[in-house]
Amino acid sequence: MLSEIHAVLGLLEGGFGELKVLVVGDLMLDRYILGEVDRISPEAPVPVLRHVQRYERPGGAANVAMNLAGLGCQTLLAGFWGNDTEQRELAAFLDTAKIDTAGMVTTGLPTISKTRIVGRRQQLLRLDIESLEKPGAVDQQRLLERVVALVDKVHAVVLSDYAKGALTPELCEAVIRAARAKGVPVLADPKTPDFSKYSGATMVCPNLNELSIATGVAAHELDALLVGGEVQRKEHELRFLCVTMSEKGIRVLSDEGAYHSPARAREVFDVSGAGDTVIATLAASLAAGLKVESAVELANLAAGIVVGKVGTVPIAHHELIAALTPSSRVRFGEKILERDGLEKRIAEWRAAGESIVFTNGCFDILHVGHITLLEDCRRFGSKLVLGLNSDASISRLKGPSRPIVGERERSRVMAALAAVDAVVLFEEDTPLELIQQIKPDVLVKGGDYVVETVVGHEDVIAAGGRVEIVPTVEGFSTTNIVKKMTGAC
């Protein structure tokens, strides 16, 4: 239990927005190409991937920055990128997240990117684009000067080291010296075996393998490894050494002794980016003045949330709020939600490890086809969100004589069904904005669709979710019922 839970909730609900955090390091673009494999190429003994979906996400230091922005911090990013398509795609993500990139230096080298080719959830190949050359002395000096100038303006600094050349020993030394002079905490995520590069930092955050390489002690010899970590901490004048230990939790070493935060038991889908989430949460917490124990507990909680997602997905502050705030039993009348309320409810569910299913429709006159669809939806997850077309939306789609039943009454009827966990109205012609907001794990539509024609399928797949098509019940539709009622057939 967090000893400063009320202070933490206050920060998450707005206090982090007062903080400025600088991320310096190696940023990259993570690209994913997903497809189906059902045959071997006749040209060579390799699988043939039939392309289904492609998407991109910020990676490396850029993912740390995205996590800080998700926590509500004013985030600044410094590092190297090129003048190419990958840079423009990466810049668009950062701009959308309102991340300040004034510290970035454009070089003649390509923007680092990693393309993962995935078939049936199995990675077949990774294609990396990066130069073996390091940025020139002039570019390195430009970055150093920009970063040192930015230290003056922030409340914390993260050194996100992916060993790609941005964080030279000279830059790290200059940043740590400038930050210490201002009383600004510096946290480093190491990818080099020599921790002397981060000497004088507030906190260094290795995982077990990184600490093993730095100390020469086998990762499975945990007690000896942590003793070696304490030697490293003192030798390099680190205030804290924070060791992430996967399912064993997080251990922080300091002059006051060791503090251990056990991992929260939950289903793990993907550990990608969990370290970035940890160091971002720690940086925001220490910048806000939280005790290190509370910072570690919060970081552990955040990591537990992101590993329950598929792919590299940053944390969001409302997910942590939901995880820290017990929710009460939902009565059927409380199932009908506005957009803001739905977002909070989904955050609570995700924090509790629930999977979110979404479907939508007019549901003007409820019939057996609708009930079958909703029952089928529950097979794909633990919570079902129903997007309901508003009256105005139905009139535009179906004509001025529809709907037969008003939106208020339709909402109440749908909320009364046991299969439905939340009902939300949307005014638009399609639920695309709603889907983009809630990012369901599974998007479900009836059998008169194929995946490619389902609104929002690209967004759901890009976020690591999936689309399911369920069979329709033949002979049942609202249109046919209306025709019978009016004597049209």
Side-chain angles (χ1 to χ4, degrees), residues 17 38 153 164 197 223 289 299 331 363 380 394 408 474:
D38 43 32
K153 304 177 180 178
K164 302 296 184 182
K197 183 177 182 179
D223 291 340
R331 297 185 299 272
F363 295 92
F380 303 118
I394 293 177
R408 185 165 177 263
E474 291 295 330

Side-chain angles (χ1 to χ4, degrees), residues 175-194:
V175 170
I176 292 168
R177 184 172 60 249
R180 290 186 71 164
K182 294 287 184 181
V184 171
V186 178
L187 297 86
D189 187 355
K191 288 295 184 290
T192 61
D194 184 4

Side-chain angles (χ1 to χ4, degrees), residues 54-122:
R54 161 182 163 161
Y55 62 92
E56 293 78 24
R57 289 176 182 160
N63 186 45
V64 178
M66 292 291 287
N67 275 276
L68 283 160
L71 290 169
C73 297
Q74 300 176 51
T75 309
L76 299 83
L77 180 61
F80 296 117
W81 56 15
N83 181 15
D84 47 30
T85 299
E86 287 74 18
Q87 181 273 336
R88 288 183 282 276
E89 292 178 355
L90 194 48
F93 279 109
L94 300 171
D95 183 60
T96 299
K98 296 181 171 57
I99 294 170
D100 187 337
T101 57
M104 294 300 302
V105 172
T106 302
T107 74
L109 303 176
T111 303
I112 298 171
S113 67
K114 299 177 181 179
T115 301
R116 295 166 177 86
I117 314 293
V118 181
R120 296 183 182 272
R121 296 184 177 268
Q122 174 68 44

Side-chain angles (χ1 to χ4, degrees), residues 234-249:
K234 289 180 176 178
E235 180 182 348
H236 301 303
E237 299 179 358
L238 308 173
R239 186 176 177 190
F240 304 107
L241 186 76
C242 184
V243 187
T244 56
M245 304 187 298
S246 189
E247 74 281 357
K248 296 181 179 69

Side-chain angles (χ1 to χ4, degrees), residues 57 63 67 272-273 277 306 309-315 319 439 462-464:
R57 289 176 182 160
N63 186 45
N67 275 276
S272 302
T277 299
V306 299
K309 304 177 182 181
V310 177
T312 305
V313 184
I315 192 67
E319 293 174 320
K439 299 179 180 64

